[in-house]
Amino acid sequence: MGMLNYIARRLLFSLALLLGVSVILFALINAIGNPIEILLAERPGVTEEIIQSVSQYYGLDGSVTDRYFTWLGNLLRLDFGTSIIYNQPVGDMLWTFGLETLKIQIPGILLALALAVGASVLAATRQYSRIDFGVISGAMLGHSLPGFFFGIILILIFSYWLGWLPSYGAYSTRNLLWDSELADGLWHMVLPVGMLAFFNTATLTLLLRSSLVDVLRQDYITAARASGLPERRVVMGHALRNAVIPVLTYLGILFGLMLGTAPVTETVFTWPGLGALYIMAIQQLDYPLIMGETMIITVMLVGATLLTDIAYVAIDPRIRLG
Amino acid sequence: MAPPLLSVEGLQVQFHTRDGIVRAVDGVDYSVGRGETLGIVGESGSGKTVSSLALLRLVPPPARIAAGRVMFEGEDLLAKPERELGAIRGRRIAMVFQNPATSLNPIYSIGSQLGEILRWHEKLDRAAAEARILSLLDLVGITDPATRLRQYPHELSGGMKQRIGIARALLCNPALLLADEPTTALDVTIQAQILDLLADLRQRLGMAMVLVTHDMGVVARMADRITVMYAGRVCETASAATLFSAPRHPYTRALLESMPRIDHRYTGPRQLLPTIAGRPPGLLNPPAGCRFAARCPEAMAECRTTLPVETVVAPGHSVSCIRHGSQGIAA
């Protein structure tokens, strides 16, 4: 009973949180003023009547509370409104662009996790060796370099000099690679995924290695060795599982902030994802799109936090459901 | 005479640090017969824990076993390949650790961590392993063993955890149990219970035991023979009765005198318990001669320049002190 009860309570709390975010978001957007006025003001031939009729068209003429509840009601029916710049349903745009973002972010994080586990085990089991020093230095460098810098280096080497990989976009506009959409899509994913994996690996490795070094010093590790268990089982079974616990939080944040960090990657690789869309929406003051995307980012973050907490309970028996 | 179960010869463990080599264990010899309990006594930093970890090659880096032999059942453990040593660890020689709170893995249930060891060594199936664990938990005095199997370390008391640590060591019926300060982290009543349990188990199972401790009371109660260590070297080895009634090494004598005795009135204005003045030498650059010379009430000039060699002074009694019959080598 404990687990379901816990999840149900956390879900309720998450809903309250989302509601709070929606209020703040709506208030902030409205603090800008009437976007129609801002977009159309001082253009030749724009009269007060035109502004008013356009505002009316977009439902911007009611009181703030009325408009909030209309917006919220629509949100609950998954209706995010219509983009005022692209004149398309925001929900459809978020879905299309969102898939493109997930396509590079999820492989990027999973690849980073796998690489970080490998590098941390390699380094922590040989503490203070040259390998350990190399792993730490590499991870430090990757952690300190801005992500986009590495992206640009990748483009320089693999697109500009070698010409092996495309440097922008998710698909070729003509002449697909091997005439296959799948191959062409994967081909375009290599560089952005590589850049994401690079800086995520760096930070994860720093965290995981130091956690693993600490765990490997614990008595229960010496005890496991003294019990005759093979080193592989001691490290992978006994040490790594304990070492992952403090890193879970960061992993949760990575998944949650996937969309928040997407703008950088997607700008470097001109990737048609939510990050690029967000930047455009803000620049053009496409407020239904801004609000829709902000809500999606919030939902992802809250969802990831919830999943992290559930993962904690699943991995660490000391955490009580209370 | 049959060879002893375990004999440690010239064991040296060194820590390679930036400042130089720390000689934590510097030429230690002792032996344990089948079914015998050897107490190793020494203060913190005397090398007693490191030397017992070294028997199974478990010293943590940057420590390194620099020299010596550890003969166990006719084989040198220090020369064995890692894989073969793995079959001895936990099966023929098992360890009980000092701190029960940290020596069990917090994220596995008792049943799963004990079962893993048993299945690895004995290739038992799940049901047989569980039956064996249940009978062992019962043997070490744990109530309601079936429930404990499903519990996690944090759900158990310190005394209970130490009993489980002992059960873990007994899983494969070892010939030798290494117990490193098994009662130090427990409160006094639990200490007594655990010591009784160890004494009882040793008798029932016919195990030999190496009991490492800084507590003279514990060895007096448990050990057949006692080895006293100081600053990485052995001072004196004798049967428990001899060591307490006729200690020879000045360090052993000073240690015994600094134990409060209920049948002794202390003299002097404040009736102080005698202590040993000074502190143990640093092991980075240990003194050339006897390690205890600087604090020894009987030291003479020669003690600072001559390294005493452990010498048998009576049957079963050996001492490393040139004032008390030992040979020495000029350092």
Side-chain angles (χ1 to χ4, degrees):
Chain A
M1 76 120 230
M3 192 68 165
L4 282 180
N5 203 330
Y6 173 73
I7 294 174
R9 273 191 298 121
R10 286 301 311 266
L11 276 177
L12 269 180
F13 177 72
S14 303
L15 279 180
L17 197 65
L18 288 177
L19 205 64
V21 170
S22 75
V23 172
I24 295 171
L25 173 62
F26 198 82
L28 284 176
I29 282 284
N30 274 279
I32 299 171
N34 183 345
I36 304 301
E37 243 167 328
I38 299 168
L39 288 170
L40 296 183
E42 290 171 28
R43 297 230 182 151
V46 174
T47 61
E48 195 60 30
E49 286 87 65
I50 292 178
I51 290 183
Q52 254 167 24
S53 73
V54 175
S55 298
Q56 200 173 3
Y57 176 79
Y58 285 105
L60 290 167
D61 50 348
S63 76
V64 173
T65 36
D66 282 352
R67 281 188 286 130
Y68 172 71
F69 284 111
T70 312
W71 176 67
L72 191 66
N74 289 341
L75 264 191
L76 293 179
R77 280 181 277 116
L78 295 181
D79 176 2
F80 293 89
T82 306
S83 156
I84 56 173
I85 304 289
Y86 302 96
N87 203 22
Q88 281 177 23
V90 169
D92 292 357
M93 294 178 74
L94 291 178
W95 179 251
T96 317
F97 285 76
L99 284 184
E100 292 301 332
T101 294
L102 294 185
K103 206 168 92 184
I104 52 171
Q105 291 280 344
I106 290 185
I109 295 177
L110 293 182
L111 185 62
L113 184 61
L115 289 173
V117 165
S120 309
V121 167
L122 209 62
T125 51
R126 295 162 181 78
Q127 201 189 354
Y128 303 136
S129 68
R130 276 182 201 177
I131 292 177
D132 186 30
F133 185 70
V135 167
I136 298 175
S137 314
M140 274 293 198
L141 188 73
H143 176 71
S144 320
L145 277 181
F148 69 85
F149 181 79
F150 185 68
I152 290 166
I153 298 286
L154 281 181
I155 290 175
L156 187 66
I157 297 174
F158 293 100
S159 299
Y160 188 74
W161 287 342
L162 297 172
W164 291 350
L165 294 162
S167 63
Y168 65 92
Y171 306 97
S172 303
T173 43
R174 53 200 170 106
N175 298 334
L176 297 184
L177 180 71
W178 302 330
D179 283 327
S180 145
E181 259 185 55
L182 180 70
D184 190 64
L186 289 173
W187 188 47
H188 280 78
M189 279 165 63
V190 175
L191 287 189
V193 168
M195 165 179 155
L196 284 169
F198 174 77
F199 66 81
N200 287 337
T201 303
T203 313
L204 277 173
T205 303
L206 284 181
L207 289 172
L208 194 56
R209 177 208 162 268
S210 68
S211 172
L212 195 56
V213 160
D214 185 49
V215 168
L216 284 170
R217 278 197 208 114
Q218 298 295 314
D219 284 350
Y220 56 81
I221 296 302
T222 311
R225 289 190 178 126
S227 300
L229 296 177
E231 189 63 16
R232 206 187 141 74
R233 269 215 224 178
V234 173
V235 174
M236 304 308 279
H238 286 258
L240 195 58
R241 225 182 120 179
N242 275 287
V244 160
I245 293 171
V247 180
L248 274 182
T249 308
Y250 182 72
L251 209 56
I253 292 172
L254 270 189
F255 273 107
L257 282 180
M258 222 158 31
L259 301 185
T261 55
V264 178
T265 324
E266 293 175 5
T267 305
V268 173
F269 292 99
T270 332
W271 191 263
L274 279 184
L277 190 67
Y278 207 18
I279 300 281
M280 283 195 287
I282 290 168
Q283 282 168 347
Q284 298 171 332
L285 204 57
D286 192 343
Y287 71 96
L289 199 50
I290 297 176
M291 292 201 292
E293 185 156 349
T294 310
M295 283 315 288
I296 292 291
I297 292 176
T298 315
V299 168
M300 296 264 306
L301 189 56
V302 170
T305 313
L306 183 64
L307 284 180
T308 309
D309 288 349
I310 293 171
Y312 266 117
V313 175
I315 284 193
D316 190 342
R318 285 166 297 184
I319 292 172
R320 293 219 184 129
L321 304 173
Chain B
M1 202 177 111
L5 177 67
L6 171 83
S7 81
V8 176
E9 297 157 19
L11 181 67
Q12 291 187 21
V13 183
Q14 305 176 340
F15 287 79
H16 290 250
T17 68
R18 197 167 300 175
D19 301 324
I21 296 171
V22 175
R23 299 170 189 278
V25 176
D26 199 13
V28 160
D29 306 87
Y30 57 81
S31 63
V32 186
R34 285 189 189 275
E36 184 187 45
T37 297
L38 174 74
I40 299 184
V41 190
E43 55 197 285
S44 305
S46 61
K48 55 193 195 304
T49 294
V50 173
S51 64
S52 63
L53 282 173
L55 301 189
L56 288 173
R57 295 215 309 251
L58 290 172
V59 289
R64 244 184 34 194
I65 298 170
R69 292 206 304 170
V70 173
M71 301 302 292
F72 176 77
E73 294 185 327
E75 294 174 296
D76 183 1
L77 298 186
L78 299 187
K80 269 180 114 52
E82 188 70 18
R83 223 169 55 86
E84 289 176 34
L85 190 63
I88 289 177
R89 288 178 185 154
R91 202 171 63 88
R92 302 300 297 150
I93 303 181
M95 289 190 78
V96 175
F97 289 82
Q98 173 170 358
N99 191 343
T102 57
S103 61
L104 294 169
N105 194 327
I107 60 169
Y108 291 114
S109 69
I110 302 304
S112 92
Q113 45 191 309
L114 268 57
E116 184 187 12
I117 297 167
L118 205 47
R119 288 200 304 279
W120 173 255
H121 281 306
E122 312 272 341
K123 314 289 175 227
L124 293 181
D125 61 53
R126 206 165 272 275
E130 191 167 310
R132 170 120 180 98
I133 294 168
L134 283 177
S135 74
L136 268 172
L137 291 185
D138 190 53
L139 183 72
V140 298
I142 281 179
T143 53
D144 197 4
T147 311
R148 306 291 172 233
L149 275 191
R150 321 261 166 265
Q151 286 184 312
Y152 290 90
H154 70 277
E155 298 173 283
L156 307 172
S157 70
M160 191 114 69
K161 274 185 267 201
Q162 195 58 307
R163 285 174 195 269
I164 285 167
I166 293 170
R168 169 173 64 187
L170 300 180
L171 282 172
C172 305
N173 229 334
L176 176 66
L177 188 68
L178 300 177
D180 180 13
E181 308 250 13
T183 56
T184 308
L186 304 170
D187 64 58
V188 181
T189 46
I190 309 292
Q191 276 186 16
Q193 290 173 12
I194 295 291
L195 290 177
D196 285 343
L197 174 67
L198 282 174
D200 177 54
L201 288 172
R202 182 175 75 90
Q203 212 159 32
R204 273 209 247 179
L205 306 176
M207 281 181 307
M209 188 155 86
V210 172
L211 182 65
V212 174
T213 180
H214 66 270
D215 188 336
M216 278 288 187
V218 169
V219 280
R221 177 172 175 168
M222 303 285 292
D224 302 314
R225 283 190 310 125
I226 297 173
T227 290
V228 180
M229 283 186 70
Y230 181 79
R233 295 180 63 89
V234 171
C235 297
E236 183 164 14
T237 299
S239 71
T242 310
L243 195 97
F244 282 100
S245 62
R248 295 216 187 182
H249 196 285
Y251 177 63
T252 314
R253 292 215 297 250
L255 258 186
L256 290 173
E257 274 162 24
S258 62
M259 272 175 56
R261 292 182 59 134
I262 201 162
D263 56 352
H264 190 275
R265 271 199 73 78
Y266 295 95
T267 51
R270 289 167 60 201
Q271 305 188 354
L272 284 180
L273 190 63
T275 53
I276 308 174
R279 43 178 61 244
L283 299 180
L284 187 57
N285 288 305
C290 173
R291 299 276 169 92
F292 189 58
R295 304 168 77 185
C296 182
E298 302 172 35
M300 39 186 201
E302 205 187 335
C303 290
R304 296 177 195 278
T305 54
T306 310
L307 194 65
V309 176
E310 199 173 8
T311 309
V312 177
V313 293
H317 191 171
S318 55
V319 178
S320 300
C321 177
I322 52 172
R323 296 290 310 263
H324 294 273
S326 294
Q327 314 287 311
I329 10 178

